[in-house]
Amino acid sequence: MPNRLAQESSPYLLQHAHNPVDWYPWNEEAFAKARSENKPIFLSVGYATCHWCHVMERESFEDPEIAAILNTHFVPIKVDREELPDVDHVYMSALQAMTGSGGWPMNMFLLPDLRPFFGGTYWPPEDRQGFPSFRRVLMGVHNAWQHQHKDVLENAEQLTAYLQGQLKPRTGPLPENLHKVALAGLSRAFDPAYGGFGSAPKFPQSPALAYLLSLAWLGEEAAWKHLQLTLDRMAAGGLYDQVGGGFHRYAVDHIWRVPHFEKMLYDNAQLAWLYAAASQMQPTTAEQARRYRRIARETLDYVLREMTDPQGGFWSAQDADSEGVEGKFYVWQATEFRAVLGAEADAAMLLFGVSEAGNWEHTNVLERRIPDEALMQHLGMGPEAFENWVESVRKRLYAARQQRIPPLTDDKVLADWNGLMLRALAEVGRLLGEPTYIEAARKNAGFVWQAMYKDGLLRHSWRKGLLKPQAYLSDQAHYGLGLLALYEATGEIAWLEAAQQLAEAILTYFKEPEGGFRDSLDPTLPVKARDAYDGPYPSGSASAAELLFRLAAIYERPDWQQAALSAVEFYAQSLVHNAFGFPALLQAHLVGTQGTELAVVAPSELVEPICRWFLPLTTLAHGSPDLLPVLQNRQPGLAYLCQQGACRLPVDSLERLWAELEAIYPSISVQVKP
């Protein structure tokens, strides 16, 4: 018999709709039950493509005995962390404060007033390897609630006070050498052998890579070396889906070979843009630039093929598991290669590192470690013939793989993640001259604005016609940047005006009086959801600051510039002492303090070639002079490069414009130039 979750739209909640656990969604009905019956809340947070969430469901939430304990002594609430990121953030912060670590599934015990007092992640159904069983944990918490109630309340008070203390501003002066210090901090965490940061498990850390890209563009050689090595190693390893395109979420090893096989929309959006942008950088070789462009295109093509709703929205994720086995959909045996490719199998096995023994659990995760030049020489092929052959092999392997049972796709549409993909499509389409990507971006923007913008706010989650009411800072900020990128690529003013509306929503609903922004509008949470720390994608605060910096220049709004700067300065001490945690805020600071605006007044032949230039700190405004403040009282056909309200001399040629750019950025490092 289905429980209350059967009425929800989230694929994750629907996965639990037939559990014997009497789950509630996060709502007032559940809170009222906890208050009236004086029961603690058992809050379980996960997401549809979470491997260990699936394991705990099979082992515990489908167990009638465990379900009876939960239903009798607790009010069980199930939350999709992607649908309610503020709930996830607040209680994950509590879990990390208690245990020093976190993860999903996240299982927390709350007072009826929602203050947390105990929690953990995965618990096995029986005592195992030093971990207490879930039954033991449940009965222990129940006994504490019955017989040590005062201690439980004190623990909740102390934990809540600690979390509230973490919200205090970390303001202070920003040193002139802020970005030198930040680069040094990132360099200390960098893996000089295989790229990326730290050891296993190893995540792409896209916000840090994007920040390195801007520093490299400004001429920092160390930043480019770090970025180039990381992009090369990730693309060669199993983190990248060599057959279908796109990136998995992270590698379980330090060499990027074996991924955790789920695929997230946010990773593929950011990485597609990074590879396309890096292909424009001056230090790349011609072969490297071709490879980066190929990775960017294959990644976006994968999203458009497998992660796109017919109406134009982008879906959230694909699972790691297929038929209950992690990675089964993606790995290969040598015998399968021979069956699919026949006489070409041996050459393809060299291409993708396939062996009889395998490289992971007696199977093969495909890699491309052998340099293309060496393989071309070995096979006696020229570049064009080799490229055509590789594409033929990939297509045949992909067709064979499609006969397998695929992983689940989480088909909800999240506004902030869609904003990341919108920006990637618009910018990659512009940089590489790919109109298909621009058109996909237009379709997405039209759909999201029509289906998800309501009463002055962009709402967070949509699925199959159902729009949830929540709206977050990250939705307005990430989607605003995506709309701005689409305007820059097309010159269509409607997208810029929509971005302006989202900036106004940020300042109306999310700006805090003491500086900075709050992430959520939910008044029920025991502490505010506010954090500028970057996870796998930029924080809402960082993207809000960048959006306001960029629009302030176009609309000539010094108050927006100041609001953005105060949001950066709110976290000054964090930026100084922990660059690794705040690279997107550092990127926003670069835009705000070293950024330029480039105004090109229509009609002008300069716009199309300028769109192919990679200018990460420059905001492009183009159109007729009556459209925007930054274009008014300026001559048609001319380009005006301005910084901090001061403009260089207007120019009428690409060569002269490039000279003006070099005057501001003497170490500019870009391949595509006049």
Side-chain angles (χ1 to χ4, degrees), residues 315-582:
W315 295 330
S316 297
Q318 288 181 322
D319 207 335
D321 295 9
S322 178
E323 301 179 73
V325 179
E326 183 176 3
K328 183 174 182 179
F329 182 75
Y330 295 101
V331 297
W332 296 83
Q333 301 286 353
T335 53
E336 294 176 294
F337 257 56
R338 293 196 174 91
V340 173
L341 300 172
E344 296 176 79
D346 287 341
M349 287 167 68
L350 273 178
L351 174 68
F352 290 122
V354 172
S355 67
E356 300 288 348
N359 59 12
W360 178 64
E361 296 186 358
H362 310 295
T363 65
N364 291 277
V365 177
L366 303 191
E367 305 177 273
R368 283 186 68 172
R369 302 283 189 187
I370 300 176
D372 287 353
E373 295 88 345
L375 201 53
M376 279 189 276
Q377 186 175 5
H378 176 77
L379 298 174
M381 291 184 183
E384 185 175 350
F386 177 75
E387 190 173 314
N388 291 337
W389 174 73
V390 170
E391 190 57 26
S392 169
V393 168
R394 288 182 69 245
K395 284 181 177 178
R396 281 178 282 168
L397 291 173
Y398 182 82
R401 197 174 77 178
Q402 288 302 98
Q403 304 306 308
R404 302 173 181 176
I405 296 175
L408 174 142
T409 296
D410 184 335
D411 60 354
K412 66 178 177 289
V413 176
L414 301 178
D416 49 358
W417 297 7
N418 271 245
L420 294 169
M421 183 54 67
L422 174 63
R423 188 177 189 182
L425 285 165
E427 295 200 356
V428 175
R430 176 172 65 84
L431 289 173
L432 302 189
E434 293 282 5
T436 301
Y437 300 150
I438 301 291
E439 189 51 43
R442 277 197 188 96
K443 185 174 181 180
N444 177 263
F447 163 73
V448 168
W449 199 252
Q450 182 178 16
M452 301 180 70
Y453 184 75
K454 183 178 180 182
D455 298 332
L457 285 166
L458 192 60
R459 307 295 164 161
H460 179 62
S461 179
W462 177 97
R463 182 175 184 263
K464 295 185 175 180
L466 179 62
L467 181 67
K468 291 297 187 76
Q470 290 81 13
Y472 298 109
L473 173 67
S474 61
D475 300 319
Q476 324 309 310
H478 289 307
Y479 210 82
L481 286 170
L483 290 165
L484 174 57
L486 183 55
Y487 158 71
E488 290 180 291
T490 64
E492 294 161 4
I493 196 69
W495 309 124
L496 181 63
E497 290 171 343
Q500 180 192 20
Q501 287 177 249
L502 295 183
E504 289 170 343
I506 288 170
L507 295 171
T508 300
Y509 295 102
F510 296 95
K511 189 175 183 297
E512 292 280 50
E514 70 272 26
F517 304 105
R518 64 186 306 171
D519 294 321
S520 164
L521 303 176
D522 187 348
T524 66
L525 292 168
V527 296
K528 287 180 185 177
R530 183 173 71 187
D531 188 16
Y533 191 90
D534 295 320
Y537 54 94
S539 69
S541 288
S543 292
E546 182 179 349
L547 178 65
L548 289 169
F549 277 135
R550 291 185 181 277
L551 292 182
I554 291 177
Y555 285 101
E556 297 182 350
R557 291 291 300 267
D559 54 328
W560 289 11
Q561 171 83 12
Q562 185 53 48
L565 189 60
S566 70
V568 175
E569 292 174 342
F570 188 84
Y571 294 98
Q573 293 305 306
S574 299
L575 294 183
V576 171
H577 297 296
N578 182 17
F580 189 72
F582 301 88

Side-chain angles (χ1 to χ4, degrees), residues 15 47-51 54 82 241 244-249 260-268 299 302-308 315-322 326-327 329-330 398 401-402 406-412 417:
Q15 287 171 359
Y47 54 103
T49 59
C50 165
H51 173 73
H54 301 331
E82 296 167 359
D241 180 356
F247 288 85
H248 299 290
R249 183 163 164 246
H260 181 51
F261 288 89
E262 66 188 315
K263 288 180 173 180
M264 311 302 295
L265 180 67
Y266 55 72
D267 285 322
N268 286 288
T299 299
Y302 149 72
V303 171
L304 295 179
R305 185 180 64 242
E306 297 187 31
M307 296 279 284
T308 304
W315 295 330
S316 297
Q318 288 181 322
D319 207 335
D321 295 9
S322 178
E326 183 176 3
F329 182 75
Y330 295 101
Y398 182 82
R401 197 174 77 178
Q402 288 302 98
L408 174 142
T409 296
D410 184 335
D411 60 354
K412 66 178 177 289
W417 297 7

Side-chain angles (χ1 to χ4, degrees), residues 115-132:
R115 288 181 293 167
F117 64 88
F118 182 68
T121 54
Y122 166 79
W123 282 302
E126 308 293 344
D127 292 348
R128 185 188 301 163
Q129 297 177 341
F131 290 96

